Amino acid sequence: SVFAVVILSFSTIFTIWYFKSPLTRTVDIGPQDIRWEQTSGPTGGDFRVIAMNPDNNLELITGNSKNLYKTMDGGKNWDLLDGFPGGYVTGIIYDQGNTEVIYVSMSEKGIFKSYDGGVTWHEKNDGIENRLIWVMESCAEDSNIMFIATCNPGRIYKTMNGGENWINVTGDLEGDEIT
């Protein structure tokens, strides 16, 4: 089954197939048929997220259970981001105002932020009690405002300052898991 999709243009779509690698992409979208091809990488399986730089649709980042990979040519070549601390990637967001700023959420290590396009990473977990993060979203109008959802126990956190600190906004929601 398909786990994630990113649309680069009318004629190029990337898909992540659950527990398969490498990624696949369209190479020809006809009026009724779509021709697919596997990319040259990255490999390693278990990719669940992919993000596109909103200022450059040839730049993509994807992650799996260990690593983060980046392409600058629309998926023809992928580079391992060596400075990434490693962990199960659950979300990737480019800052809309400055695409050199990238946020990555992980299921056990929390939130990490890069200020230099993914070369170096900084932990941004101040105020987060549980770092089992499953969902991360940013506000379209203000990229400093973000929300994350954790599980076991389920909590919702909000930041107003680009991840410098987070506050629990779960309120009176109940349950073991928020999805």
Side-chain angles (χ1 to χ4, degrees), residues 74-147:
K76 293 176 186 168
N77 299 289
W78 292 87
D79 294 317
L80 175 68
L81 294 178
D82 291 325
F84 183 66
Y88 199 96
V89 177
T90 59
I92 303 168
I93 295 176
Y94 280 89
D95 186 303
Q96 299 291 321
N98 177 1
T99 56
E100 286 293 303
V101 176
I102 303 166
Y103 298 89
V104 172
S105 62
M106 291 182 275
S107 65
E108 295 179 354
K109 293 183 179 181
I111 303 292
F112 282 77
K113 182 177 183 178
S114 175
Y115 298 93
D116 54 16
V119 176
T120 60
W121 295 91
H122 308 274
E123 188 174 344
K124 296 295 177 181
N125 292 314
D126 185 29
I128 301 172
E129 299 167 30
N130 175 1
R131 296 184 182 165
L132 291 172
I133 298 171
W134 288 108
V135 177
M136 176 177 64
E137 293 293 335
S138 66
C139 177
E141 290 84 25
D142 184 345
S143 58
N144 284 310
I145 301 172
M146 299 175 67
F147 291 87

Side-chain angles (χ1 to χ4, degrees), residues 150-165:
T150 65
C151 67
N152 297 326
R155 299 284 185 264
I156 299 173
Y157 293 89
K158 177 182 180 180
T159 182
M160 299 283 291
N161 56 12
E164 293 303 315
N165 54 47

Side-chain angles (χ1 to χ4, degrees), residues 12-131:
T12 307
I13 301 171
F14 272 84
T15 60
I16 296 176
W17 296 85
Y18 188 57
F19 288 118
K20 289 189 178 181
S21 68
L23 282 72
T24 57
R25 69 177 178 180
T26 60
V27 291
D28 182 27
I29 298 180
Q32 295 180 3
D33 297 324
I34 297 177
R35 190 168 57 107
W36 296 88
E37 72 177 8
Q38 288 189 331
T39 67
S40 61
T43 59
D46 209 7
F47 291 92
R48 296 192 182 195
V49 294
I50 187 167
M52 178 184 65
N53 180 333
D55 292 340
N56 176 3
N57 69 356
L58 297 178
E59 180 180 327
L60 299 146
I61 295 180
T62 189
N64 61 11
S65 58
K66 297 178 185 174
N67 298 307
L68 207 57
Y69 299 88
K70 184 176 186 178
T71 180
M72 298 298 291
D73 59 13
K76 293 176 186 168
N77 299 289
W78 292 87
D79 294 317
L80 175 68
L81 294 178
D82 291 325
F84 183 66
Y88 199 96
V89 177
T90 59
I92 303 168
I93 295 176
Y94 280 89
D95 186 303
Q96 299 291 321
N98 177 1
T99 56
E100 286 293 303
V101 176
I102 303 166
Y103 298 89
V104 172
S105 62
M106 291 182 275
S107 65
E108 295 179 354
K109 293 183 179 181
I111 303 292
F112 282 77
K113 182 177 183 178
S114 175
Y115 298 93
D116 54 16
V119 176
T120 60
W121 295 91
H122 308 274
E123 188 174 344
K124 296 295 177 181
N125 292 314
D126 185 29
I128 301 172
E129 299 167 30
N130 175 1
R131 296 184 182 165

